[in-house]
Amino acid sequence: MNELKRNIAIVYGGDSSEHDVSLRSAQGLYSFFDKERYNVYTVDIKGLDWHVELADGSTSKIDRNDFSFVEDGKKVLFDYAYITIHGTPGENGLLQGYFELIGMPYSTSGVLVEALTFDKFVLNQYLRGYGVSVADSLLIRKGYEELVSDDEIEERIGMPCFVKPAADGSSFGVSKVKNKDQLAPAIRKAMMESPEVMVESFLEGTEISIGVYKTKEKSVVLPATEVVTANEFFDYDAKYNGQSQEITPARLPEDMTERVRQITSHIYDILHCNGLIRIDYIISKEGKISMLEVNTTPGMTAASFIPQQVRAAGLSMTDVLTEIIENQFA
């Protein structure tokens, strides 16, 4: 009977500062998967060290020719990869390209979509062309910092503003800048994470985050989560060390809730996404909905937004993950 189960790889790790966050997501996913239906393994990827963790606590090296490994003297092939890497190479298209080359079905969107959503500046310009409201922003490249002056940033973007890595996760290297003197150190900090830095205008309002997934049979937009934090913004401590209040469903009027749902579904379709994604927004007092970020490998610990939202929708994470996997084989 065991041979009839699909072999699922939960792929975590990566080469960014969010390696440990990815490990927590992998642990969450492992707890959610239907073990009666699937043989579930966790695969740690860091640089060229790729290995699968076995039930007895040992590890087995991944053969990158076909993403296989050896267990009890037998070669084991995976049927599906669930990618939960936050940052490179699992969130920027690199790992997706590898899986495309070897013909392995995987959980995220394709190479182009992953590359596009990973670069916050490029994504904003792209979605702006479809009428999606986003904050004004400037791009600064490492080695070319002098092309954009502090005065130009203050005049064009205004103060306060956010300085963040353009191509990386959203937990590290982000600063809220309140005056020109803080720009240079904030840019240096962001460049520790990414060679491209986005300076983005500050949007005041209610921050929400909302998950969505679609299969051949249905479209599911989950209840939104409202983020309330006493910190300057929703930073690493607010996300992972309990320094925020997360209210699901968000305290929004019914008509606003419906507008957010429609925009979220529209963005999913514009980008031609696959699997579970999460989109973050700021809603101004005047009711303007501005997109902040599209996260294609959202956190998956029991306390993360997506599991919270799935529970609030009266759904089961186990069932949702099964739907997403089986959609690839339908």
Side-chain angles (χ1 to χ4, degrees):
M1 182 66 187
N2 199 46
E3 293 298 321
L4 300 178
K5 293 182 179 181
R6 297 195 205 278
N7 293 325
I8 307 297
I10 300 173
V11 186
Y12 77 94
D15 304 318
S16 79
S17 300
E18 295 190 80
H19 182 281
D20 291 345
V21 178
S22 176
L23 169 59
R24 282 186 256 174
S25 286
Q27 292 167 339
L29 282 164
Y30 188 87
S31 72
F32 297 138
F33 270 112
D34 184 349
K35 313 301 191 308
E36 296 296 314
R37 184 167 190 149
Y38 304 115
N39 299 316
V40 184
Y41 298 84
T42 53
V43 176
D44 187 0
I45 287 179
K46 188 169 179 62
L48 294 178
D49 179 16
W50 296 23
H51 61 265
V52 60
E53 286 142 358
L54 305 178
D56 63 4
S58 65
T59 64
S60 180
K61 186 178 179 181
I62 291 286
D63 182 345
R64 286 192 293 275
N65 289 299
D66 55 7
F67 203 63
S68 66
F69 66 98
V70 174
E71 184 177 24
D72 297 328
K74 293 181 180 178
K75 180 174 178 172
V76 180
L77 287 163
F78 285 110
D79 299 294
Y80 183 91
Y82 198 103
I83 301 170
T84 190
I85 292 175
H86 309 308
T88 187
E91 206 173 7
N92 59 358
L94 296 181
L95 194 58
Q96 287 77 10
Y98 163 76
F99 285 134
E100 291 284 352
L101 284 171
I102 66 168
M104 172 76 67
Y106 55 88
S107 59
T108 67
S109 307
V111 175
L112 177 60
V113 177
E114 292 298 316
L116 181 63
T117 54
F118 191 64
D119 191 314
K120 301 178 186 73
F121 182 79
V122 174
L123 177 68
N124 280 11
Q125 310 318 308
Y126 183 77
L127 288 179
R128 195 195 302 273
Y130 282 89
V132 176
S133 174
V134 295
D136 195 14
S137 58
L138 285 171
L139 187 68
I140 301 172
R141 290 189 171 93
K142 196 167 193 173
Y144 297 90
E145 294 90 339
E146 74 283 352
L147 294 180
V148 182
S149 69
D150 292 353
D151 289 336
E152 184 181 352
I153 291 172
E154 184 176 48
E155 184 179 339
R156 164 88 180 272
I157 304 299
M159 296 287 165
C161 66
F162 281 104
V163 176
K164 57 181 73 172
D168 199 46
S170 55
S171 296
F172 294 93
V174 182
S175 302
K176 184 178 180 182
V177 171
K178 297 179 180 178
N179 58 64
K180 279 194 302 184
D181 293 342
Q182 297 175 345
L183 277 170
I187 291 167
R188 283 196 298 272
K189 178 182 174 182
M191 282 186 177
M192 297 286 286
E193 303 293 332
S194 165
E196 294 188 343
V197 170
M198 180 167 74
V199 183
E200 186 176 52
S201 62
F202 172 71
L203 298 175
E204 191 167 4
T206 302
E207 183 168 350
I208 65 163
S209 188
I210 182 166
V212 54
Y213 72 96
K214 300 191 181 191
T215 66
K216 294 178 178 72
E217 281 75 40
K218 61 183 177 180
S219 169
V220 180
V221 182
L222 298 168
T225 298
E226 180 182 344
V227 182
V228 182
T229 179
N231 297 8
E232 285 283 6
F233 58 96
F234 192 50
D235 58 8
Y236 183 90
D237 285 330
K239 284 181 184 178
Y240 302 114
N241 293 332
Q243 296 178 15
S244 69
Q245 184 183 6
E246 297 162 10
I247 303 162
T248 310
R251 300 169 297 183
L252 299 175
E254 196 171 317
D255 61 327
M256 180 62 71
T257 298
E258 184 55 32
R259 282 178 59 203
V260 169
R261 289 171 60 85
Q262 288 176 0
I263 292 170
T264 300
S265 179
H266 185 48
I267 290 173
Y268 192 101
D269 291 342
I270 289 169
L271 296 173
H272 195 55
C273 289
N274 178 58
L276 261 169
I277 71 165
R278 199 191 76 227
I279 306 180
D280 302 338
Y281 301 94
I282 289 284
I283 303 174
S284 71
K285 289 179 181 177
E286 296 74 34
K288 186 176 184 179
I289 303 168
S290 297
M291 189 215 73
L292 293 178
E293 186 174 343
V294 174
N295 192 323
T296 60
T297 60
M300 284 294 179
T301 69
S304 294
F305 288 151
I306 293 292
Q308 281 185 50
Q309 294 170 11
V310 167
R311 288 193 295 270
L315 303 173
S316 148
M317 274 301 304
T318 299
D319 292 342
V320 169
L321 291 171
T322 298
E323 284 178 18
I324 288 169
I325 292 171
E326 294 306 315
N327 185 59
Q328 298 286 117
F329 300 98

